[in-house]
Amino acid sequence: MSYKSVYRNSFILVTLLLLILTLAGCGSEQTAAKQEKVVITDSAKAKIAIPAKIESIADAWPAHNEVLTMLGAGDKIKATVDIKGARPWLYIVNPAMNDAQIVFTPQDVNIEELMKTKPDIVFISKNNVIATRLKAIGIPVVQLFFTDFAGLKDCFRTTGTILGPEAKAKADAYIAYLDEKMAKIKAVTDPISQEQRPKVLHINSWNPLLIDGTNTIIDNWIEVAGGTNAALDVKGNMKPVTMEQVMVWNPDVIIVSSNALPIEPDGTRNIHMIMDNPVWQGIKAVQNKKVYVNPDGAFLWDRYGAEEALQIQWAAKTLYPEKFQDIDIVKETRYFYKIFMNYDLSEAEANRIISGKNPE
């Protein structure tokens, strides 16, 4: 073999070795980056070590799937509790949901199917009964929850911090929007005395009859909007009450969660089951035709989702149309979806959401 051949072969061999070492080094750096951990504190005050970079998410809290979508991580949701039939607007806004596996129910989880999605992190609501089972399989479990707007902002900030700088910036932008709208509304409603405020009953379920009391985000937005919760002597969400108790409260306004009512073929939520029911005819809200269906979008506006920022505007306009003539809720809904959900909502779609209707 000639000297030139030996030199050429040696050069090729050395080059290959250097290439292999370089690739190995890059792989090591990528592995190190993937294994890097950061520590966060969740709503249960637990400190949890999570991957610095999140690529695959499992989310067992229905409302939080919308939050992830808003913060730009909708395509990272690989396992969910939100079925398309229950949250059709979310699936339109975030088509990646169609590829997510339904592995959770409100009180259970399919561990085998969950593991197939290889989640870096699992989000659940605080005190969820499946928390212990999830922690046992070694995946970081982050519990989140809130009962007022201060807690909502903490929850969204925590989620943004977990997801990274861009998500954190989006969370901060959302909070700035929420604060701006809340300040504008409270400037009008704060001076209204308790005696002048309408008593608002929020119905979560029709059969059985469940209502939302104090120490809830529902109570908080009723207050911000200038009302007072008719169920002041009830604490917590989804509490059973009798019709006799409703008669004692005699609310001025009734707001019914969209998922509490049957759906007509055109998607309309049927409030006639209240308005035309003889049992309810003695209630002031029914007599004055002040029974409303709560809007329902990517998540229910009335609880835990990002559209709480729209809920306070809709509720204020509903309770005091003469005081909030400047609020165009259709226009505001379209703006919100464009800026925060990255979706161009048509006027017709916005009207359906505000009416609590499913997509056509």
Side-chain angles (χ1 to χ4, degrees):
M1 183 180 294
S2 68
Y3 171 78
K4 288 184 179 181
S5 298
V6 172
Y7 178 82
R8 184 176 63 251
N9 291 341
S10 298
F11 178 78
I12 292 171
L13 181 60
V14 170
T15 301
L16 288 172
L17 287 171
L18 288 173
L19 180 60
I20 291 169
L21 289 171
T22 300
L23 291 173
C26 290
S28 298
E29 290 174 5
Q30 291 171 354
T31 301
K34 187 173 181 60
Q35 292 177 345
E36 183 182 348
K37 301 285 185 178
V38 294
V39 177
I40 59 98
T41 303
D42 68 5
S43 299
K45 305 303 181 186
K47 293 189 180 299
I48 304 138
I50 64 171
K53 188 172 183 180
I54 304 295
E55 298 292 352
S56 177
I57 298 172
D59 201 335
W61 188 14
H64 196 253
N65 285 255
E66 181 195 37
V67 178
L68 291 174
T69 298
M70 182 186 75
L71 297 183
D75 60 336
K76 295 181 180 181
I77 302 172
K78 306 302 181 183
T80 183
V81 65
D82 279 332
I83 62 174
K84 189 173 185 177
R87 299 263 53 89
W89 286 110
L90 177 61
Y91 277 72
I92 286 177
V93 171
N94 179 16
M97 290 294 298
N98 289 288
D99 297 322
Q101 300 302 307
I102 313 296
V103 304
F104 301 103
T105 69
Q107 295 184 324
D108 202 2
V109 55
N110 185 325
I111 295 292
E112 182 179 352
E113 293 301 315
L114 171 65
M115 295 304 292
K116 290 179 182 178
T117 67
K118 301 178 180 178
D120 296 314
I121 192 169
V122 179
F123 290 104
I124 63 172
S125 57
K126 185 180 175 183
N127 299 324
N128 191 304
V129 294
I130 65 175
T132 301
R133 290 183 63 195
L134 291 171
K135 290 176 183 178
I137 60 178
I139 301 171
V141 177
V142 176
Q143 298 184 69
L144 298 172
F145 195 66
F146 53 85
T147 57
D148 55 26
F149 284 102
L152 177 151
K153 289 186 278 189
D154 285 342
C155 173
F156 286 23
R157 285 193 192 99
T158 298
T159 304
T161 299
I162 289 170
L163 297 176
E166 290 186 10
K168 179 63 166 59
K170 192 69 173 286
D172 289 341
Y174 169 86
I175 291 168
Y177 172 85
L178 173 63
D179 285 344
E180 176 193 351
K181 298 303 180 182
M182 190 175 296
K184 178 182 175 182
I185 292 167
K186 286 173 66 64
V188 176
T189 60
D190 277 357
I192 302 173
S193 68
Q194 285 298 120
E195 293 74 24
Q196 293 176 307
R197 290 173 174 243
K199 292 188 296 181
V200 180
L201 180 66
H202 189 268
I203 297 177
N204 173 269
S205 168
W206 174 252
N207 186 22
L209 184 58
L210 305 176
I211 58 90
D212 294 297
T214 60
N215 195 35
T216 64
I217 192 69
I218 291 88
D219 183 65
N220 205 173
W221 62 249
I222 289 174
E223 178 187 6
V224 169
T228 184
N229 196 331
L232 284 175
D233 48 346
V234 176
K235 185 176 181 180
N237 285 315
M238 299 179 284
K239 298 300 180 181
V241 294
T242 63
M243 192 62 214
E244 289 73 19
Q245 180 62 70
V246 174
M247 290 177 177
V248 171
W249 289 330
N250 195 19
D252 301 296
V253 176
I254 294 174
I255 297 175
V256 188
S257 188
S258 63
N259 62 353
L261 296 169
I263 307 174
E264 298 296 310
D266 67 348
T268 302
R269 308 286 172 165
N270 186 357
I271 63 169
H272 296 295
M273 62 191 302
I274 296 176
M275 296 298 294
D276 298 340
N277 191 324
V279 178
W280 288 77
Q281 295 308 303
I283 303 298
K284 196 180 300 184
V286 175
Q287 293 173 346
N288 295 328
K289 295 182 171 52
K290 292 190 175 182
V291 179
Y292 307 98
V293 179
N294 211 106
D296 184 344
F299 194 70
L300 301 162
W301 284 23
D302 52 15
R303 61 189 69 237
Y304 307 122
E307 287 159 282
E308 288 287 359
L310 292 171
Q311 175 72 13
I312 57 174
Q313 298 176 75
W314 173 83
K317 177 96 174 187
T318 299
L319 297 184
Y320 299 100
E322 73 290 347
K323 293 182 184 293
F324 292 101
Q325 295 182 39
D326 59 328
I327 294 180
D328 184 335
I329 197 64
V330 173
K331 182 179 178 181
E332 201 64 42
T333 301
R334 296 183 69 190
Y335 171 83
F336 181 90
Y337 269 71
K338 173 72 173 177
I339 299 300
F340 294 105
M341 307 303 289
N342 196 33
Y343 181 80
D344 283 314
L345 199 67
S346 70
E347 184 174 342
E349 287 176 316
N351 274 301
R352 291 189 73 83
I353 286 173
I354 293 162
S355 300
K357 297 179 180 180
N358 288 337
E360 288 187 293

